[in-house]
Amino acid sequence: MIENNSFIIEKKGKKVTIVFFALFLFGYLGFGQKQWIVSPTELYTAYDTNKKAIGVLLRGAVVEVLSTEQSLWTKVKVDNGMIGFVDSAFIRKALNASDHYLLSPSPIIENDGHYGSPHLFVQVASLRIRELPSPDAKIVSYFTMGEVAAVDFYPYDPNAWVNVDKGFIQQKYLGARPKLENLYHQFDTISLANRNGRKKIAERLVEFAWNSSGSKVPALERFLSVAEELGDKKKIGYAKLQIQIAKGLTQTLDYKELEAIGKSEETYIKINGIQFPNYTEVTYSEMLEVLGEPIKIIEGEDDCCYSGNQSYCYDHAEFVVDKQKNLAEIVWIGFKGKGNVFVINGTPIDKNTTEEEFVNLASRWVYYNGKYPNEYDLPFLDYCNIIISFKDGKAEKLSLSLIP
């Protein structure tokens, strides 16, 4: 039998303990441990370079060591779950700046001005990222067209899965960075009768335009034309709003002008109808006086950005609290809360403010990322990210995050 991680053998009424020597030896040899790939090397189906290579491991990839074969080869499990053999000379317990290593082989890209480490680019629009390497696994996020995907192991099978840190996508959706001019040409040469083809390329155009420098308007205008052809009112409204945002971004105010708006006496917050001039924090006592006791208190770890480590959660607000300093730093305020309003330069933003009204007001103020089409970053303060988000066309939330 087993007790306390040891074998117990009963012999003539006595217990003889045999320590798991095998487990000690297993750990000593490094089996089951995570180790590093020092230079790009291929993964094989057997410990023989004449056998089939099933992918390439890149510098910095972490592998799980399973066993050694004839001392020259190591059996490993890679980050997408595949198992194979690599030349033992390419495995290290740690990486060092003095390591000698080769550049990543084609088609892998590195140090191209977009990203330093080994990577590829997403080739389709709205690519789902799965929690596990399976088409049935939970969707945890998504990539937009032309986004960078960091790669540690690149399988050669197009249908195999690639671990992209936050989840898994199939290899066939990765490649070289797309070119906008190629996408424009592709769209412009598709027959008007091929609406589905035009829609697919228009979606790629819009996403990649937001991931590229230069004007987004030509891509958005093509998307609008497809939406009008399809008679899709929701997409028509979306395209028109995006065009307005894109045009506003070409006339964004400079930082001093934006900072002046952020620090103006006419920019403030109302919580439960009570006005506070500082929209990033209130006192702990003011928070309790206005909102009462929270519905939940969460103990958190110390964060360099916040003074306290307790989160006070309300139905329509959240604060990080430091009782000793009598401080409650605002994490978010929901506009559905009674009397919750964010006033910018004298103009109130509340639960009745439409996204169109906000864009009309603030298109020259915002920083905008097309991947999050209903979120608007207001760069008013150099120590805090200020984001207003919309849901179903109405203002939903003001979110604040302090910058270290």
Side-chain angles (χ1 to χ4, degrees):
M1 62 180 173
I2 298 175
E3 289 181 9
N4 299 324
N5 294 329
S6 299
F7 283 118
I8 305 297
I9 300 176
E10 300 226 3
K11 185 176 182 182
K12 292 183 180 180
K14 297 180 180 180
K15 290 184 177 180
V16 180
T17 302
I18 302 175
V19 178
F20 275 145
F21 176 73
L23 286 180
F24 167 78
L25 183 62
F26 190 78
Y28 179 78
L29 293 175
F31 302 157
Q33 292 183 353
K34 304 293 186 183
Q35 296 196 20
W36 301 83
I37 298 297
V38 69
S39 186
T41 185
E42 289 187 299
L43 183 73
Y44 292 90
T45 55
Y47 48 95
D48 184 345
T49 55
N50 292 319
K51 298 298 183 181
K52 181 181 179 182
I54 54 177
V56 60
L57 286 153
L58 306 165
R59 174 172 167 80
V62 177
V63 297
E64 180 182 350
V65 174
L66 302 179
S67 65
T68 58
E69 307 290 340
Q70 299 181 349
S71 76
L72 298 177
W73 291 88
T74 302
K75 186 178 182 180
V76 299
K77 180 188 282 187
V78 301
D79 63 9
N80 70 348
M82 293 175 70
I83 293 174
F85 297 83
V86 295
D87 187 328
S88 299
F90 291 92
I91 296 181
R92 297 281 191 279
K93 290 184 178 179
L95 297 180
N96 296 292
S98 59
D99 290 336
H100 293 286
Y101 57 91
L102 299 176
L103 294 176
S104 298
S106 178
I108 307 302
I109 304 162
E110 56 184 272
N111 297 316
D112 62 343
H114 297 284
Y115 196 72
S117 299
H119 62 279
L120 289 166
F121 294 89
V122 174
Q123 304 293 300
V124 295
S126 303
L127 177 62
R128 298 182 181 99
I129 302 173
R130 303 281 178 175
E131 185 176 35
L132 299 170
S134 165
D136 301 318
K138 178 183 176 182
I139 298 168
V140 294
S141 187
Y142 75 98
F143 277 126
T144 55
M145 175 76 175
E147 262 195 278
V148 167
V151 178
D152 285 334
F153 172 67
Y154 180 76
Y156 292 150
D157 179 357
N159 291 312
W161 293 84
V162 179
N163 188 326
V164 290
D165 187 35
K166 44 191 171 180
F168 298 85
I169 60 176
Q170 287 180 289
Q171 182 257 62
K172 61 187 175 184
Y173 299 119
L174 294 173
R177 181 171 168 81
K179 294 183 178 180
L180 263 179
E181 57 268 29
N182 292 347
L183 285 170
Y184 283 132
H185 177 74
Q186 190 176 357
F187 178 87
D188 293 340
T189 54
I190 296 175
S191 166
L192 289 174
N194 185 0
R195 290 182 175 180
N196 287 335
R198 285 166 59 80
K199 177 175 176 290
K200 180 173 72 173
I201 303 304
E203 289 170 345
R204 293 180 182 182
L205 262 173
V206 167
E207 290 188 357
F208 189 50
W210 283 115
N211 287 328
S212 306
S213 58
S215 176
K216 327 299 178 189
V217 174
L220 289 164
E221 288 177 338
R222 285 166 170 82
F223 182 84
L224 175 60
S225 70
V226 171
E228 290 173 338
E229 290 165 15
L230 297 172
D232 189 325
K233 293 182 179 179
K234 186 175 181 179
K235 283 186 169 59
I236 291 171
Y238 163 82
K240 288 182 176 179
L241 195 65
Q242 292 254 308
I243 289 171
Q244 187 174 351
I245 295 166
K247 289 180 177 178
L249 291 176
T250 64
Q251 307 169 48
T252 303
L253 302 181
D254 65 35
Y255 178 72
K256 287 187 178 180
E257 293 174 298
L258 293 168
E259 186 181 40
I261 294 173
K263 293 182 176 180
S264 166
E265 292 183 357
E266 293 189 321
T267 298
Y268 54 87
I269 197 169
K270 284 185 178 182
I271 303 173
N272 207 14
I274 306 301
Q275 180 174 326
F276 296 93
N278 188 336
Y279 50 87
T280 64
E281 62 186 47
V282 297
T283 67
Y284 173 65
S285 53
E286 286 172 334
M287 178 195 72
L288 292 180
E289 182 180 351
V290 172
L291 294 174
E293 292 295 330
I295 57 175
K296 182 167 60 175
I297 298 176
I298 300 174
E299 297 286 344
E301 298 180 357
D302 290 337
D303 188 321
C304 64
C305 296
Y306 292 96
S307 178
N309 62 358
Q310 284 187 320
S311 292
Y312 274 47
C313 304
Y314 295 87
D315 284 332
H316 301 291
E318 182 180 344
F319 302 79
V320 174
V321 166
D322 186 334
K323 291 182 183 178
Q324 290 185 337
K325 294 183 179 179
N326 191 29
L327 181 64
E329 295 168 299
I330 299 170
V331 178
W332 63 269
I333 298 291
F335 292 121
K336 286 186 177 180
K338 182 180 178 181
N340 289 354
V341 182
F342 184 41
V343 179
I344 306 174
N345 221 23
T347 302
I349 308 298
D350 59 24
K351 64 182 180 180
N352 296 314
T353 303
T354 68
E355 193 166 1
E356 185 177 359
E357 289 170 341
F358 178 78
V359 170
N360 286 335
L361 169 73
S363 63
R364 296 184 62 201
W365 301 346
V366 299
Y367 287 169
Y368 183 81
N369 181 343
K371 183 171 182 177
Y372 307 101
N374 306 113
E375 295 185 0
Y376 301 85
D377 189 343
L378 296 164
F380 292 159
L381 304 174
D382 59 7
Y383 61 87
C384 183
N385 289 323
I386 306 165
I387 296 175
I388 293 181
S389 54
F390 288 77
K391 184 176 181 180
D392 299 327
K394 294 291 183 71
E396 178 190 32
K397 183 190 295 186
L398 168 70
S399 302
L400 304 170
S401 59
L402 299 179
I403 301 171

